[in-house]
Amino acid sequence: MGYRVAVVGATGAVGREMLKTLAERAFPIDEIVALASARSAGQEVSFGDKTVLKVQNLEHFDFTGWDIALFSPGASVSAVHAPRAAKAGCIVIDNTSHFRMEHDVPLVVPEVNPNALKRARRGIIANPNCSTIQMVVALKPLHDLFTIRRVVVATYQAVAGAGKEGMDELFAQSRASFVGDPLKAEQFTKQIAFNCIPHIDRFMDDGATKEEWKMTVETRKILDPDISVFATCVRVPVFIGHSEAITVEFEEPVDLERAREALREAPGVILHDQREDGGYVTPTECVGEDATYVSRLRIDPTVPNGLAFWCVADNLRKGAALNAVQIAETMIALDLIHHKAA
């Protein structure tokens, strides 16, 4: 017997990827509904190869009797409707930033901290930030081996992280640059085509952006509160796929071969590290893939017990939709969702 599943924000890039991922992974579903704002109600979205869903208005939807809701409608919308769904007895897995740092809401990456799901007393589980997810998947096996003290990360984040509008702007600016039309910057603070922008989300008082703050506090909540994290987050002209250059300082001496072996065996990680031309994974190669890819693994001799590596993942899949679906799968495996389907 399957579950009754709602996908909230179903017309957005992540919502569509959630529907695609649920179908591809043959998630046990008896009934599924696509929800979005009033302006999107009536649109159609695909679920699998043969099913088309008509989008319903989230504002008027009754979650009573529904088992699981995957939310990705924007933080302000989740703030209103996720508690409403949870109060109706529906387990909410929220992809927005709204609940992530609330002490009674688990922030979960299933390969890293699945047992945190047992503390979902409010009926809401938070999906971490896309850049955090892939980083902690790669860091977890290394932390278990050598105990991480400090992480310094520079991200190279795809425009898909800003939604369909971000991808549209990169496409429009790229085309305009070739035909001599003026380039308009609306979604980003500067031109994104053929450029890099060291600014994601708003600036905070200490000079960091909120995206950089998220990577710091979320990593500590998920992996270990004693880890120090310093991030520089950059938007780059790539449509899908986040990349990260990560340097780690450990408590204990690092053995490179043990690190390699741990990464090879880690769930959700594919180590592709050959010291030759093309012996690494780039963001275009990870699109549509579930794994977090690690390359360029090497000792950093400039700090005690240092290790550096390159990490890429599809930010719409593992960075958002896939992680949310894996949370639901893990909750079922742990017998934490009791379905209401007749």
Side-chain angles (χ1 to χ4, degrees), residues 171-183 194:
F171 178 82
Q173 288 184 0
S174 299
R175 182 174 59 184
S177 69
F178 286 115
V179 298
D181 288 344
L183 274 64
F194 311 104

Side-chain angles (χ1 to χ4, degrees), residues 13 156-175 178 188 192-194 235-243 283-284 286-288 313-316:
Y156 308 80
Q157 295 181 224
V159 295
K164 180 180 180 297
E165 296 80 7
M167 291 189 282
D168 287 346
E169 184 154 309
L170 173 57
F171 178 82
Q173 288 184 0
S174 299
R175 182 174 59 184
F178 286 115
F188 304 107
I192 184 60
F194 311 104
R235 189 74 72 190
V236 297
V238 170
F239 282 102
I240 299 172
H242 285 357
S243 305
T284 58
C286 75
V287 176
D314 184 328
N315 58 296
L316 295 181

Side-chain angles (χ1 to χ4, degrees), residues 234-263:
V234 182
R235 189 74 72 190
V236 297
V238 170
F239 282 102
I240 299 172
H242 285 357
S243 305
E244 298 173 349
I246 301 170
T247 300
V248 190
E249 184 179 350
F250 296 92
E251 296 282 353
E252 302 164 29
V254 178
D255 181 283
L256 191 58
E257 287 311 310
R258 289 180 65 202
R260 287 181 184 279
E261 187 60 29
L263 288 164

Side-chain angles (χ1 to χ4, degrees), residues 120-142:
R121 298 178 184 89
R122 288 172 58 184
I124 299 173
I125 300 96
N127 216 31
N129 188 40
C130 47
S131 51
T132 304
I133 289 174
Q134 70 186 71
M135 185 170 77
V136 297
V137 168
L139 290 179
K140 168 65 173 172
L142 300 173

